[in-house]
Amino acid sequence: MKNYDVLDLSKFILSFFVVAIHTKLFPQFLYPWLRIAVPMFFVISSFLFFTKVNLAPDKDRKGILKKYVKRQLILYLFWFIALLPVTVFVRQDWFDGGIKSGILTALSNTLFSSTFITSWFIVASIQATVIVYFMSNGKNDVFLLIIFSAVYVICCLRSSYFLAFKGSRTVLLFSKCYETVFAKPMFSFPAALIWIMIGKTFADNKINTDKRSFLIISTLIFLVLLFIEWKYVVLLKGEYDSNSYLSLIPLVFSLFALIKGININIKSAVVLRRISVITFPLHASVAVVARKTLCKPIENADLRALVVFILTAGICLAFSFAVFKLEKHKSFSFLKYSH
């Protein structure tokens, strides 16, 4: 495979975008730029996976898929166990309806949403990658891009634009029926399908990434469109908790094409990638503890968010380097499953 150190660097940077989201770091200035992070994570993961699949003989491809799923499940299990005390604290309401109800809720959230905070990303990556792997035959990719874009539009309607349809009984009924069985679509595999498909499209070399000036201009245009859409959503909702934006689709297309074309060599690329893998599942639980204990006395919201961000980022980095050192010893070799 070609050296894609730039993608490891991108994941490292984007992981701290996600930290900023969950620590509510200056939302009035940084949103919606931070919302680029999760789609880009999906696209990068998909691109690297399907690039590996495309390079392998046909007989080995399902083995690569099985290995990918196994690795993601191990990653999920490690962090589920490691973060269980925080998860129990945060998810106390699961058992309000009794033990049976709590167990069913935990099982449902394992399959379609989050147990530990941000765990939905790992599960959605597995589900969406498997769906795209078996549905795409190389000839129907445009059709799938259209279908998955439509699915993502539904996620946007449930996320950013839901209050615009709060008077529609049909929309409310559909949403209630769907979420009784599954989860909010923007926090489950439906939101991942388009990004996984975009990553595969790049892996199949179906997008021209040579026109650098065009990609730079288009990326800037789509960034402006994202800003305009965000302003409209803020005006519509009056709050900064939207997750899905329509303009992210063309923006992520353009931005990934731009980044993919950068050829750099980074000696510590593997370390950066591993830090990003550790930071993504760990940070939100750290942020919850930091906000509720260490930073609760700070009254100013922006100052509190800044302190929580610095503490969370610092703890994630410190934990990562501790893992890298400890996992070399036989007694702590299990720590390798954290990344």
Side-chain angles (χ1 to χ4, degrees):
M1 289 179 62
K2 178 184 174 183
N3 168 28
Y4 287 112
D5 287 358
V6 66
L7 298 184
D8 290 331
L9 175 61
S10 299
K11 288 178 69 175
F12 175 78
I13 295 171
L14 291 169
S15 66
F16 290 96
F17 276 33
V18 181
V19 175
I21 290 173
H22 288 111
T23 55
K24 296 179 172 56
L25 183 67
F26 303 132
Q28 66 272 32
F29 301 114
L30 297 180
Y31 279 55
W33 323 121
L34 300 176
R35 291 298 176 188
I36 297 170
V38 173
M40 285 293 291
F41 264 110
F42 279 126
V43 173
I44 292 171
S45 174
S46 173
F47 169 76
L48 294 173
F49 169 77
F50 283 106
T51 297
K52 185 179 291 186
V53 168
N54 290 343
L55 292 173
D58 290 346
K59 62 183 178 64
D60 295 336
R61 292 183 175 182
K62 283 190 178 179
I64 294 174
L65 177 64
K66 290 178 182 178
K67 186 177 179 180
Y68 169 81
V69 172
K70 180 181 177 181
R71 181 180 181 276
Q72 295 299 312
L73 289 175
I74 291 173
L75 184 70
Y76 184 96
L77 182 61
F78 176 93
W79 287 108
F80 177 84
I81 296 171
L83 298 174
L84 190 57
V86 179
T87 303
V88 170
F89 174 73
V90 173
R91 312 296 192 190
Q92 294 179 48
D93 59 323
W94 282 1
F95 294 92
D96 287 349
I99 298 295
K100 183 179 178 180
S101 173
I103 293 173
L104 290 174
T105 301
L107 180 60
S108 174
N109 284 17
T110 298
L111 294 173
F112 302 113
S113 185
S114 292
T115 48
F116 60 90
I117 310 171
T118 73
S119 65
W120 77 271
F121 175 86
I122 301 174
V123 177
S125 295
I126 296 172
Q127 294 166 331
T129 299
V130 171
I131 290 170
V132 170
Y133 178 90
F134 285 106
M135 287 189 67
S136 174
N137 59 19
K139 298 178 182 179
N140 63 349
D141 287 357
V142 173
F143 174 73
L144 290 178
L145 282 169
I146 293 171
I147 294 298
F148 294 155
S149 293
V151 172
Y152 183 72
V153 169
I154 294 174
C155 295
C156 291
L157 294 178
R158 181 62 182 91
S159 174
S160 300
Y161 295 92
F162 189 62
L163 289 185
F165 298 93
K166 63 181 180 181
S168 171
R169 295 181 63 184
T170 303
V171 172
L172 290 174
L173 181 62
F174 174 80
S175 174
K176 184 178 180 179
C177 291
Y178 178 88
E179 291 171 23
T180 298
V181 180
F182 301 103
K184 293 179 181 178
M186 61 279 196
F187 298 126
S188 186
F189 72 92
L193 288 169
I194 182 60
W195 310 124
I196 299 297
M197 192 64 215
I198 288 174
K200 183 183 185 299
T201 305
F202 276 101
D204 294 343
N205 294 313
K206 293 183 178 179
I207 299 175
N208 185 356
T209 60
D210 296 331
K211 299 180 179 180
R212 308 296 296 169
S213 58
F214 171 78
L215 290 174
I216 292 172
I217 293 172
S218 61
T219 300
L220 291 174
I221 290 173
F222 294 135
L223 281 169
V224 172
L225 289 177
L226 177 60
F227 178 80
I228 294 172
E229 183 181 7
W230 168 63
K231 280 294 186 182
Y232 171 71
V233 168
V234 170
L235 181 64
L236 184 68
K237 292 189 66 174
E239 54 192 16
Y240 300 103
D241 64 350
S242 304
N243 297 282
S244 305
Y245 295 90
L246 299 171
S247 50
L248 278 174
I249 294 179
L251 173 57
V252 168
F253 249 114
S254 181
L255 180 61
F256 183 80
L258 186 62
I259 292 174
K260 176 179 173 290
I262 300 173
N263 186 21
I264 56 175
N265 290 301
I266 304 174
K267 291 182 179 180
S268 58
V270 174
V271 174
L272 295 179
R273 180 174 70 248
R274 290 174 178 174
I275 291 174
S276 71
V277 174
I278 290 173
T279 299
F280 200 105
L282 174 62
H283 77 277
S285 296
V286 173
V288 167
V289 175
R291 188 181 300 113
K292 290 184 177 295
T293 56
L294 302 176
C295 302
K296 190 175 182 179
I298 303 176
E299 295 183 2
N300 183 277
D302 285 340
L303 178 58
R304 183 168 60 249
L306 177 60
V307 174
V308 173
F309 174 80
I310 293 172
L311 283 172
T312 303
I315 290 171
C316 288
L317 287 171
F319 183 86
S320 297
F321 286 109
V323 165
F324 301 153
K325 187 172 183 178
L326 289 172
E327 68 183 0
K328 296 176 182 178
H329 300 282
K330 188 175 181 179
S331 301
F332 296 97
S333 59
F334 67 91
L335 289 173
K336 65 183 179 182
Y337 298 120
S338 65
H339 55 78

